[in-house]
Amino acid sequence: MSDLADGIAFLKFLVEKGYMEEVTAKINEMPDLNRLLDDMYKTQLLTESKCVAYLNEWGKLKEELVEVNPMEVSLPMDVVEDHDRLSKYYIVPISISANNASGQLNTGGLIKFLVPYSYHNVVNKDYIRRALKPVHQTSAWQIELLYGLGDPVAAKYYDYAKKFIDSSIAQVDSLSLRQKLMKVFRDAVSNKIMDVVFLVQNSNVTIKRKFMDEFFTYDKVKFKPEEARAIKSMLAGTLGPVPASVINSEPAISYVIRNLIEDGNYEGRVEQTDIRDGYQIHIRIVNLQLHSMTFDDYYLTPYVKQALDKALWETRGLVIYGGPRGSGKQVFIYTSINEFRERRPNTYIESLEDPIEAVLDGVAQIQVEEHKGYGFSYYGKAFKRHSTNLYFIGELRDRETVEVAVTETVSGALLFTTTHISECAGIFKKLGAELKDDDMVIKLTNEFRLVTNLTMSREVCPKCVKQVTSKKELSTSEIMFLQSWRYNGRVFKANEAGCDYCKSYNYNVTNKLESIGNLAKPLIIVEGLSFDKEVLEICNKHYHVNDRENAVRKFMIDNNIYKSQVALSIMHQGKLSIQECMRLFPPNIYTN
């Protein structure tokens, strides 16, 4: 958004007016005004009221802002019909007033809505009008939009959402089985849930939704005993392509629901297995439209951002995106492909995937079908006759896929791929386990251009996080952890009890009001290692994979680019808590 792109000018205004010290402005310098405001608010550098007052005084925004916290949410819930449309952009109904004292609806009136300013170019009155019940969509009813800072508006939205949630549960009981399943999936998509599990035991249905590494019970939809027996037939036979003869005769089946929520943007990858006294159905929800993600959506250190940018301009070599299952590798590699096309629009891209996780316009995506004999090596032979600018192989999962990657990179191609590793330095052990050939690992290492590794973490709650100003506020283990990494930056601790803000923020995802001072808002920690001349020399000095791993890890720690150090640098910005850093990473046991 163009008017949110000048955070530096806003900081200069604050300094000129005497609202901020010049040294403080220099430390927080950031060109993206939207992210700058987010950082200043979350780290409590400026309160909401001061942010709003200073921005309005600055006068460079297209809309004047209002302070959210004092507002009361009073709009009756039955005015809105499509709450999903509101939740997408955290739109909050504030008040309604009819034109006459008797409150007759046909005379019209005024309805006010609160919108995060960052969405002012996206959300207009017509968008909101389509979310209202038909009686309020007439021109007799006027709509007024008010704008506030993103986080306070989001908190106010969840306060409002809790008011209508209980009544919506009562309405769900009258839905058909198919409608109930659609609600489960639409709620999951709305709350950015990737995995939904139906556990059916003795005609009782429990629904679990996975967020990061935890499964939370979802209870906004209740299934009757007779419905429990029909869920698998409805999913596999009606929504999926599985014949009835297979559904009840085979104990384990896999299939794809092509149009999961009937908007063409999501697929459901289904694994169904029989268990004692019932069955379980695991559904991975795949967003097929990943065209808008950019590197700006991640908190990348300057080293990692520079290394990624350099890799995208390479004409040959191997770029590996690593991380454990569920760390966000697939989304990040699609983001990199988007960035590659932005920098180099006149290029051709081919991919081999199993399965295809997103539909990319203008990319020749090939769905590998191992069960039909059309594996990675089958299509890899065709690649040899192409002169493509970028190849993408879905995953280095076995010797076959590694050999295809080796063949393409040594023949002068640029290739992106993913693999399961826990740190950048672990890539050698991973390849050694797959290839069982140290000579081949050495050959492939010389083709590396960049290895990244992702760790999924949770942002800290901006309301109850506290900056530590004295060592007395830290435990002995926390002090030892920070000392082991020689960290001297700012330290933030989450309130173990949580607060009303983070509890309400987490409600839709976790389905309960619990929090330990973290938000149900993933923050991806990106570790990266550019294989320049210095790193390749280190690799070539060590033949055995364990020695090479240790040497590369030591290099990364010495240069302050190891994953734990990346996490601590993000904590310095007030985005992570010391508790989250210690939950994800051990103390430094590798170097003295």
Side-chain angles (χ1 to χ4, degrees):
M1 299 168 212
S2 58
D3 59 340
L4 287 181
D6 205 354
I8 295 174
F10 180 58
L11 287 170
K12 188 181 293 185
F13 165 80
L14 294 178
V15 172
E16 289 173 351
K17 287 290 186 178
Y19 299 145
M20 183 177 288
E21 296 290 335
E22 188 169 355
V23 64
T24 304
K26 192 68 177 175
I27 292 172
N28 292 277
E29 193 172 272
M30 192 176 298
D32 188 325
L33 179 59
N34 198 26
R35 182 167 288 185
L36 172 66
L37 295 174
D38 187 48
D39 282 353
M40 290 196 297
Y41 177 74
K42 287 182 177 177
T43 59
Q44 300 177 356
L45 184 62
L46 290 179
T47 63
E48 181 198 356
S49 59
K50 286 184 177 180
C51 270
V52 169
Y54 295 160
L55 284 165
N56 288 337
E57 184 182 348
W58 186 41
K60 301 295 185 181
L61 301 185
K62 291 183 178 178
E63 306 287 350
E64 188 163 308
L65 302 189
V66 297
E67 189 176 350
V68 174
N69 284 336
M71 286 188 176
E72 292 296 326
V73 177
S74 58
L75 181 63
M77 60 192 174
D78 59 0
V79 170
V80 178
E81 184 168 62
D82 186 357
H83 288 288
D84 288 342
R85 184 172 282 269
L86 299 191
S87 67
K88 185 175 182 180
Y89 296 112
Y90 302 110
I91 301 166
V92 188
I94 295 299
S95 65
I96 181 172
S97 55
N99 285 332
N100 61 6
S102 63
Q104 292 179 344
L105 299 180
N106 58 2
T107 62
L110 176 67
I111 310 174
K112 294 183 179 181
F113 291 86
L114 181 64
V115 181
Y117 181 77
S118 57
Y119 296 128
H120 79 281
N121 284 334
V122 179
V123 177
N124 56 30
K125 293 178 182 179
D126 287 338
Y127 178 89
I128 292 178
R129 194 178 297 278
R130 291 195 292 272
L132 303 180
K133 289 200 170 183
V135 67
H136 298 292
Q137 290 187 11
T138 65
S139 58
W141 284 95
Q142 302 301 308
I143 294 175
E144 181 179 343
L145 304 185
L146 305 175
Y147 300 91
L149 296 178
D151 279 324
V153 175
K156 190 60 65 178
Y157 171 78
Y158 286 116
D159 287 342
Y160 165 70
K162 284 186 289 185
K163 292 186 177 184
F164 67 76
I165 198 128
D166 291 336
S167 64
S168 66
I169 291 174
Q171 295 171 12
V172 166
D173 285 340
S174 63
L175 299 179
S176 68
L177 176 58
R178 192 178 192 280
Q179 289 171 327
K180 288 181 179 180
L181 291 172
M182 284 296 104
K183 176 166 177 58
V184 172
F185 297 141
R186 285 177 178 144
D187 282 357
V189 166
S190 176
N191 296 316
K192 296 179 172 62
I193 299 295
M194 285 184 63
D195 294 276
V196 176
V197 180
F198 291 86
L199 180 61
V200 182
Q201 294 174 296
N202 296 317
S203 298
N204 294 317
V205 181
T206 302
I207 301 174
K208 296 282 188 178
R209 306 197 309 185
K210 186 180 182 182
F211 177 73
M212 295 179 60
D213 56 352
E214 296 182 83
F215 285 86
F216 297 94
T217 301
Y218 169 86
D219 58 11
K220 295 176 186 176
V221 176
K222 302 291 186 183
F223 291 93
K224 301 169 185 175
E226 60 271 21
E227 292 176 323
R229 293 188 289 271
I231 288 175
K232 92 174 151 176
S233 296
M234 176 64 72
L235 289 175
T238 304
L239 301 180
V242 183
S245 58
V246 174
I247 295 172
N248 297 311
S249 62
E250 297 188 16
I253 57 175
S254 302
Y255 57 94
V256 175
I257 300 176
R258 294 293 179 192
N259 194 3
L260 188 67
I261 62 170
E262 300 175 335
D263 69 347
N265 294 330
Y266 295 88
E267 279 188 357
R269 308 278 165 77
V270 187
E271 299 290 336
Q272 177 181 302
T273 53
D274 288 347
I275 61 173
R276 179 179 176 181
D277 301 323
Y279 58 90
Q280 61 176 340
I281 301 174
H282 286 246
I283 302 171
R284 166 65 57 89
I285 299 175
V286 179
N287 181 358
L288 298 173
Q289 308 298 320
L290 293 171
H291 304 301
S292 60
M293 294 285 286
T294 70
F295 289 151
D296 289 338
D297 294 307
Y298 296 83
Y299 291 99
L300 302 177
T301 63
Y303 173 83
V304 172
K305 198 162 188 176
Q306 184 179 5
L308 282 163
D309 190 63
K310 181 183 176 184
L312 295 183
W313 285 108
E314 295 283 357
T315 56
R316 56 167 292 175
L318 184 60
V319 180
I320 299 177
Y321 297 80
R325 184 177 292 126
S327 60
K329 298 186 298 298
Q330 210 68 38
V331 175
F332 193 54
I333 199 168
Y334 282 128
T335 300
S336 295
I337 293 174
N338 289 338
E339 292 275 0
F340 179 88
R341 295 197 296 178
E342 183 72 22
R343 288 165 174 76
R344 303 166 66 178
N346 300 315
T347 54
Y348 194 68
I349 304 172
E350 291 182 87
S351 77
L352 281 179
E353 302 173 68
D354 183 21
I356 292 173
E357 298 283 356
V359 177
L360 297 176
D361 294 336
V363 176
Q365 294 177 274
I366 299 172
Q367 171 70 59
V368 172
E369 297 179 289
E370 296 280 4
H371 62 288
K372 294 182 180 179
Y374 304 134
F376 285 93
S377 59
Y378 174 86
Y379 287 107
K381 294 173 184 176
F383 279 2
K384 291 185 177 70
R385 294 185 288 274
H386 300 177
S387 55
T388 300
N389 301 103
L390 172 65
Y391 294 105
F392 165 40
I393 293 181
E395 181 186 345
L396 295 181
R397 62 172 63 167
D398 51 29
R399 186 180 179 90
E400 180 188 12
T401 52
V402 173
E403 286 179 344
V404 171
V406 172
T407 301
E408 293 308 315
T409 52
V410 298
S411 62
L414 179 63
L415 190 143
F416 287 3
T417 189
T418 70
T419 193
H420 290 98
I421 51 175
S422 59
E423 58 177 327
C424 289
I427 187 62
F428 309 108
K429 193 175 290 182
K430 167 70 175 180
L431 293 176
E434 298 294 354
L435 291 171
K436 298 179 175 59
D437 184 340
D438 286 348
D439 290 331
M440 181 72 83
V441 174
I442 292 173
K443 186 177 182 181
L444 188 56
T445 300
N446 287 316
E447 301 300 326
F448 287 175
R449 295 297 178 267
L450 173 69
V451 175
T452 64
N453 181 71
L454 276 60
T455 303
M456 180 79 75
S457 67
R458 285 190 183 191
E459 266 197 40
V460 68
C461 172
K463 294 290 189 180
C464 61
V465 68
K466 180 182 178 184
Q467 183 177 346
V468 175
T469 56
S470 169
K471 280 191 175 181
K472 293 180 181 179
E473 300 175 74
L474 295 172
S475 66
T476 302
S477 59
E478 289 168 342
I479 292 172
M480 292 179 66
F481 176 83
L482 296 172
Q483 287 178 342
S484 74
W485 292 109
R486 299 179 182 178
Y487 177 75
N488 296 311
R490 295 191 294 177
V491 178
F492 291 86
K493 291 194 76 170
N495 178 3
E496 295 289 354
C499 67
D500 291 341
Y501 174 79
C502 58
K503 288 176 180 177
S504 62
Y505 188 98
N506 293 352
Y507 183 81
N508 270 10
V509 173
T510 63
N511 205 36
K512 54 185 178 181
L513 296 178
E514 290 185 6
S515 175
I516 55 170
N518 289 319
L519 300 176
K521 184 177 182 181
L523 188 154
I524 309 296
I525 299 168
V526 184
E527 175 195 42
L529 178 62
S530 182
F531 278 73
D532 54 19
K533 182 179 178 182
E534 183 179 6
V535 173
L536 287 173
E537 285 178 353
I538 293 172
C539 293
N540 291 328
K541 286 179 182 177
H542 302 276
Y543 181 78
H544 295 293
V545 292
N546 287 341
D547 294 337
R548 183 175 296 183
E549 177 180 321
N550 292 333
V552 168
R553 184 188 295 114
K554 182 179 184 304
F555 169 85
M556 296 185 72
I557 294 173
D558 290 344
N559 286 274
N560 209 41
I561 58 174
Y562 189 63
K563 60 181 182 177
S564 308
Q565 297 161 315
V566 175
L568 290 171
S569 72
I570 296 175
M571 180 179 72
H572 179 74
Q573 301 174 44
K575 300 292 183 183
L576 288 178
S577 66
I578 179 65
Q579 298 102 315
E580 185 73 352
C581 291
M582 292 179 67
R583 182 181 76 86
L584 295 170
F585 307 110
N588 183 4
I589 58 174
Y590 306 110
T591 62
N592 294 326

